[in-house]
Amino acid sequence: MSGGWWCDGVRWPGQAPELGWSRGGDRRVSVLAYGAGIGFRALGERHCVGARGNVCPLGAVVPGRSTGGRCAECARLDRAHSVAADTMADDPRTYRVYLAWFGPGMVKVGITGEDRGAARLREQGAVVFSWLGRGPLMAARRTEEVLRAALGVPDRIAYARKRAVRGRLPGAEERAAEVAELYGRVARLEGGGGPESLERLPLEVVDQAELFGIDRTPAPVRSVRELVDGGVVSGRLVAAAGPDLHLAVDGVGVVVLDTRLITGWDLAAVPDVPVRAGAGSDAAASAKASPDASASVKATPDASGASGGEMRVPLIDIGGGGVQGGLF
């Protein structure tokens, strides 16, 4: 390891995405702003990020294309202590059941801790959602399972499918109508689809397209397949959804970076990414999001997607799956 920064991935604690960074015992956060530059270079090999806040005891090297970023042992440990593993039946916290919409015909039912608010929905990149109910963990879990079967929806939707439709979503009214229709189907089920211990919540459609920035920027055309030693990723942030950052790069277009692919890498900052003049404040011309520059700069992305930057990592077509000629 060269002593650079490790990225802990994207978090959505509020209305703006943040990148978490660690180097030894140091922790930093970059609050991201649309219009600002992001740039880094990957160094060496990618190592397991550990589990539940613990360092991987093996210091294992993990594949560049893994979105988990963990070795097999750490992945099992992390999964065993998650809510999804159903090993926390006595959890005293209140949970919420939600209906999340990612695109036409792409919907799921899930649960999240009430104290987290809508953070889980932002982390998943849900374009539209509505709460369905609230109550104890096991009541929420039972409702989730019943509704999945009753509505015929999957328990998860791959991010690749979400990316494939994100640039061609229907209008806000059509999005809201599909969620409302599904909510109505739930309401018509006997008992509302859940046990009496679950309090039903009224329909309240929340559309996050504007929050993510995907309603005002060009559709993404490619995504980063993996990082490599010496590979450079830089561009101007124009949108973000879930773990995905949409970066505008001259000569390429909008490229999606799944930040789950950069965890476990030793990262170093690269020179500032140019931001088109007039995009915001004077400081925007040299703004970037990196571990060494955590301040955010607000700027308005222009519709052209031009931004400078470069991509010297393997890319693939969004929706097509074809490798675009190795390194860019």
PDB file of all heavy atoms in Angstrom, residues 140-154:
ATOM      1  N   ALA A 140     -42.771  -6.095  10.064  1.00  0.00           N
ATOM      2  CA  ALA A 140     -42.367  -5.471   8.808  1.00  0.00           C
ATOM      3  C   ALA A 140     -41.815  -6.517   7.847  1.00  0.00           C
ATOM      4  O   ALA A 140     -42.117  -6.506   6.650  1.00  0.00           O
ATOM      5  CB  ALA A 140     -41.330  -4.383   9.070  1.00  0.00           C
ATOM      6  N   ARG A 141     -41.014  -7.448   8.374  1.00  0.00           N
ATOM      7  CA  ARG A 141     -40.439  -8.488   7.529  1.00  0.00           C
ATOM      8  C   ARG A 141     -41.524  -9.391   6.948  1.00  0.00           C
ATOM      9  O   ARG A 141     -41.491  -9.746   5.759  1.00  0.00           O
ATOM     10  CB  ARG A 141     -39.444  -9.311   8.344  1.00  0.00           C
ATOM     11  CG  ARG A 141     -38.859 -10.505   7.603  1.00  0.00           C
ATOM     12  CD  ARG A 141     -38.023 -10.065   6.425  1.00  0.00           C
ATOM     13  NE  ARG A 141     -36.760  -9.524   6.846  1.00  0.00           N
ATOM     14  CZ  ARG A 141     -35.996  -8.710   6.122  1.00  0.00           C
ATOM     15  NH1 ARG A 141     -36.431  -8.324   4.936  1.00  0.00           N
ATOM     16  NH2 ARG A 141     -34.858  -8.263   6.565  1.00  0.00           N
ATOM     17  N   ARG A 142     -42.510  -9.760   7.777  1.00  0.00           N
ATOM     18  CA  ARG A 142     -43.601 -10.622   7.298  1.00  0.00           C
ATOM     19  C   ARG A 142     -44.397  -9.915   6.215  1.00  0.00           C
ATOM     20  O   ARG A 142     -44.744 -10.512   5.181  1.00  0.00           O
ATOM     21  CB  ARG A 142     -44.517 -10.999   8.456  1.00  0.00           C
ATOM     22  CG  ARG A 142     -45.708 -11.844   8.019  1.00  0.00           C
ATOM     23  CD  ARG A 142     -46.650 -12.090   9.171  1.00  0.00           C
ATOM     24  NE  ARG A 142     -47.891 -12.708   8.722  1.00  0.00           N
ATOM     25  CZ  ARG A 142     -48.971 -12.856   9.477  1.00  0.00           C
ATOM     26  NH1 ARG A 142     -48.960 -12.455  10.732  1.00  0.00           N
ATOM     27  NH2 ARG A 142     -50.055 -13.423   8.992  1.00  0.00           N
ATOM     28  N   THR A 143     -44.662  -8.611   6.408  1.00  0.00           N
ATOM     29  CA  THR A 143     -45.400  -7.842   5.415  1.00  0.00           C
ATOM     30  C   THR A 143     -44.631  -7.768   4.110  1.00  0.00           C
ATOM     31  O   THR A 143     -45.201  -7.921   3.018  1.00  0.00           O
ATOM     32  CB  THR A 143     -45.667  -6.422   5.939  1.00  0.00           C
ATOM     33  OG1 THR A 143     -46.414  -6.505   7.166  1.00  0.00           O
ATOM     34  CG2 THR A 143     -46.438  -5.591   4.922  1.00  0.00           C
ATOM     35  N   GLU A 144     -43.341  -7.546   4.217  1.00  0.00           N
ATOM     36  CA  GLU A 144     -42.495  -7.483   3.029  1.00  0.00           C
ATOM     37  C   GLU A 144     -42.601  -8.767   2.217  1.00  0.00           C
ATOM     38  O   GLU A 144     -42.777  -8.741   0.993  1.00  0.00           O
ATOM     39  CB  GLU A 144     -41.046  -7.250   3.463  1.00  0.00           C
ATOM     40  CG  GLU A 144     -40.033  -7.225   2.326  1.00  0.00           C
ATOM     41  CD  GLU A 144     -38.615  -7.196   2.851  1.00  0.00           C
ATOM     42  OE1 GLU A 144     -38.347  -7.798   3.918  1.00  0.00           O
ATOM     43  OE2 GLU A 144     -37.752  -6.597   2.192  1.00  0.00           O
ATOM     44  N   GLU A 145     -42.523  -9.911   2.877  1.00  0.00           N
ATOM     45  CA  GLU A 145     -42.572 -11.193   2.178  1.00  0.00           C
ATOM     46  C   GLU A 145     -43.943 -11.451   1.550  1.00  0.00           C
ATOM     47  O   GLU A 145     -44.049 -11.938   0.415  1.00  0.00           O
ATOM     48  CB  GLU A 145     -42.209 -12.311   3.151  1.00  0.00           C
ATOM     49  CG  GLU A 145     -40.749 -12.237   3.624  1.00  0.00           C
ATOM     50  CD  GLU A 145     -40.441 -13.253   4.707  1.00  0.00           C
ATOM     51  OE1 GLU A 145     -41.389 -13.928   5.181  1.00  0.00           O
ATOM     52  OE2 GLU A 145     -39.269 -13.365   5.091  1.00  0.00           O
ATOM     53  N   VAL A 146     -45.014 -11.102   2.292  1.00  0.00           N
ATOM     54  CA  VAL A 146     -46.372 -11.301   1.764  1.00  0.00           C
ATOM     55  C   VAL A 146     -46.601 -10.438   0.529  1.00  0.00           C
ATOM     56  O   VAL A 146     -47.151 -10.890  -0.482  1.00  0.00           O
ATOM     57  CB  VAL A 146     -47.416 -10.978   2.856  1.00  0.00           C
ATOM     58  CG1 VAL A 146     -48.820 -10.909   2.249  1.00  0.00           C
ATOM     59  CG2 VAL A 146     -47.377 -12.024   3.960  1.00  0.00           C
ATOM     60  N   LEU A 147     -46.179  -9.184   0.585  1.00  0.00           N
ATOM     61  CA  LEU A 147     -46.411  -8.273  -0.521  1.00  0.00           C
ATOM     62  C   LEU A 147     -45.578  -8.629  -1.748  1.00  0.00           C
ATOM     63  O   LEU A 147     -46.023  -8.443  -2.884  1.00  0.00           O
ATOM     64  CB  LEU A 147     -46.136  -6.828  -0.091  1.00  0.00           C
ATOM     65  CG  LEU A 147     -47.104  -6.262   0.958  1.00  0.00           C
ATOM     66  CD1 LEU A 147     -46.752  -4.820   1.279  1.00  0.00           C
ATOM     67  CD2 LEU A 147     -48.547  -6.364   0.484  1.00  0.00           C
ATOM     68  N   ARG A 148     -44.401  -9.131  -1.541  1.00  0.00           N
ATOM     69  CA  ARG A 148     -43.594  -9.572  -2.678  1.00  0.00           C
ATOM     70  C   ARG A 148     -44.328 -10.657  -3.467  1.00  0.00           C
ATOM     71  O   ARG A 148     -44.389 -10.630  -4.696  1.00  0.00           O
ATOM     72  CB  ARG A 148     -42.242 -10.112  -2.194  1.00  0.00           C
ATOM     73  CG  ARG A 148     -41.222  -9.051  -1.826  1.00  0.00           C
ATOM     74  CD  ARG A 148     -39.974  -9.699  -1.261  1.00  0.00           C
ATOM     75  NE  ARG A 148     -38.986  -8.712  -0.844  1.00  0.00           N
ATOM     76  CZ  ARG A 148     -37.936  -8.989  -0.109  1.00  0.00           C
ATOM     77  NH1 ARG A 148     -37.720 -10.234   0.298  1.00  0.00           N
ATOM     78  NH2 ARG A 148     -37.068  -8.049   0.226  1.00  0.00           N
ATOM     79  N   ALA A 149     -44.899 -11.592  -2.706  1.00  0.00           N
ATOM     80  CA  ALA A 149     -45.624 -12.677  -3.370  1.00  0.00           C
ATOM     81  C   ALA A 149     -46.923 -12.177  -3.999  1.00  0.00           C
ATOM     82  O   ALA A 149     -47.265 -12.543  -5.126  1.00  0.00           O
ATOM     83  CB  ALA A 149     -45.918 -13.786  -2.360  1.00  0.00           C
ATOM     84  N   ALA A 150     -47.629 -11.303  -3.288  1.00  0.00           N
ATOM     85  CA  ALA A 150     -48.923 -10.830  -3.777  1.00  0.00           C
ATOM     86  C   ALA A 150     -48.782  -9.920  -4.999  1.00  0.00           C
ATOM     87  O   ALA A 150     -49.604  -9.968  -5.916  1.00  0.00           O
ATOM     88  CB  ALA A 150     -49.658 -10.088  -2.658  1.00  0.00           C
ATOM     89  N   LEU A 151     -47.738  -9.088  -5.010  1.00  0.00           N
ATOM     90  CA  LEU A 151     -47.544  -8.158  -6.112  1.00  0.00           C
ATOM     91  C   LEU A 151     -46.699  -8.756  -7.237  1.00  0.00           C
ATOM     92  O   LEU A 151     -46.605  -8.183  -8.324  1.00  0.00           O
ATOM     93  CB  LEU A 151     -46.873  -6.869  -5.613  1.00  0.00           C
ATOM     94  CG  LEU A 151     -47.636  -6.050  -4.570  1.00  0.00           C
ATOM     95  CD1 LEU A 151     -46.802  -4.850  -4.134  1.00  0.00           C
ATOM     96  CD2 LEU A 151     -48.976  -5.587  -5.116  1.00  0.00           C
ATOM     97  N   GLY A 152     -46.057  -9.881  -6.951  1.00  0.00           N
ATOM     98  CA  GLY A 152     -45.209 -10.501  -7.960  1.00  0.00           C
ATOM     99  C   GLY A 152     -43.968  -9.686  -8.272  1.00  0.00           C
ATOM    100  O   GLY A 152     -43.556  -9.588  -9.434  1.00  0.00           O
ATOM    101  N   VAL A 153     -43.368  -9.088  -7.234  1.00  0.00           N
ATOM    102  CA  VAL A 153     -42.178  -8.259  -7.442  1.00  0.00           C
ATOM    103  C   VAL A 153     -40.953  -8.962  -6.863  1.00  0.00           C
ATOM    104  O   VAL A 153     -41.057  -9.763  -5.933  1.00  0.00           O
ATOM    105  CB  VAL A 153     -42.349  -6.871  -6.785  1.00  0.00           C
ATOM    106  CG1 VAL A 153     -43.506  -6.136  -7.416  1.00  0.00           C
ATOM    107  CG2 VAL A 153     -42.549  -7.001  -5.277  1.00  0.00           C
ATOM    108  N   PRO A 154     -39.755  -8.674  -7.385  1.00  0.00           N
ATOM    109  CA  PRO A 154     -38.537  -9.310  -6.882  1.00  0.00           C
ATOM    110  C   PRO A 154     -38.087  -8.714  -5.557  1.00  0.00           C
ATOM    111  O   PRO A 154     -38.553  -7.642  -5.153  1.00  0.00           O
ATOM    112  CB  PRO A 154     -37.516  -9.021  -7.991  1.00  0.00           C
ATOM    113  CG  PRO A 154     -37.987  -7.713  -8.556  1.00  0.00           C
ATOM    114  CD  PRO A 154     -39.489  -7.773  -8.514  1.00  0.00           C
TER     115      PRO A 154
END
